[in-house]
Amino acid sequence: MTVNMSKGQAISLQKADGGTLTAVRMGLGWQSAPRRGLFGSRTKEIDLDASAVLFADKQPVDVVFFRHLTSDDGSVRHTGDNLVGGAGQGGDDEAILVDLQRVPVHIDQIVFTVNSFTGQSFAEVANAFCRLVDETNGQEIARYTLTGGGPYTAQIMAKVHRAGAGWQMTALGSPANGRTFQDLMPAIVPHL
C-alpha cells in the first residue's frame, strides 16, 4: 500500500512484516505542462535532473547525478539521464537506487533533489512526483506529488535518513533555484 505523502511528513522504512527495507529506488517523473499558443496547446521538452547528495554529520561527502552515476562506495546508483521527461503519471523518468545495507555507517542522510538543467521553471512542468519503491519486490512505498508550478527551477524533494537502527523518508518539497545540485547546496542545508 502506497502512502501519499504531504510536505514535511516522515515515514519509517520498515516492511509491513516488521523487517527493514534493504534496497530502495527513488523514482522521479514529470511531464511538460501544455502551453497555449496561437495554434492551440503544445508542450516543450523539459530536462529535469535528479541528484542524491550523501551527507555525514551535515557535511556533503559524495553526490550521485548524471555525470557521476555511482557513489564512490557503490551504495547509491543513478540509472541515467532522461533529457525530456514524459512519464509524469506513473513511471519513472529518472531513478536513483540506494542499497541501504551498503551505505557506509558515517553517511546519515541522503537528500534527493531535482533541478532544471536548462533553466526552465516548474511553471512549465506538470505531474511531477518522486516515489520510493522497495527495490526487492517493486512495490511502491510512498509517493510525493508536487502541486502547482512556480518561478523556481529546482526542488529539494525528499531525504532518506537514519533513525535509530533503521531509516526514514521525509518529504521536503522545498522550492529552490539552481541548474545543478551545487547551486542547491545553500537550500539543502536547512533540511539537514
Side-chain angles (χ1 to χ4, degrees), residues 18-172:
T20 57
L21 293 169
T22 57
V24 295
R25 173 174 18 112
M26 181 65 75
L28 170 70
W30 71 92
Q31 292 177 318
S32 298
R35 297 186 318 180
R36 287 218 169 285
L38 186 59
F39 302 106
S41 293
R42 58 189 171 96
T43 60
K44 182 178 178 183
E45 292 179 347
I46 305 280
D47 178 13
L48 296 182
D49 292 320
S51 301
V53 185
L54 290 69
F55 288 89
D57 196 28
K58 298 186 180 185
Q59 297 299 313
V61 294
D62 202 355
V63 65
V64 173
F65 70 117
F66 71 93
R67 289 191 180 143
H68 185 244
L69 294 175
T70 304
S71 62
D72 293 340
D73 58 54
S75 65
V76 182
R77 186 172 53 87
H78 195 298
T79 60
D81 195 13
N82 178 326
L83 301 177
V84 298
Q89 291 292 350
D92 301 330
D93 291 314
E94 290 194 12
I96 297 175
L97 309 172
V98 181
D99 184 340
L100 295 169
Q101 293 180 311
R102 289 185 57 198
V103 174
V105 69
H106 70 284
I107 303 295
D108 53 9
Q109 299 185 68
I110 303 170
V111 178
F112 297 91
T113 66
V114 57
N115 55 273
S116 173
F117 186 73
T118 50
Q120 293 143 314
S121 77
F122 272 74
E124 299 177 65
V125 176
N127 301 318
F129 68 86
C130 72
R131 68 187 192 124
L132 193 71
V133 176
D134 180 344
E135 194 60 16
T136 62
N137 63 16
Q139 181 180 3
E140 184 174 288
I141 301 161
R143 177 178 289 257
Y144 177 61
T145 303
L146 292 162
T147 55
Y152 47 88
T153 59
Q155 280 268 342
I156 314 304
M157 296 290 288
K159 70 178 179 177
V160 172
H161 51 101
R162 293 189 189 272
W167 292 86
Q168 281 190 334
M169 175 188 167
T170 301
L172 300 172

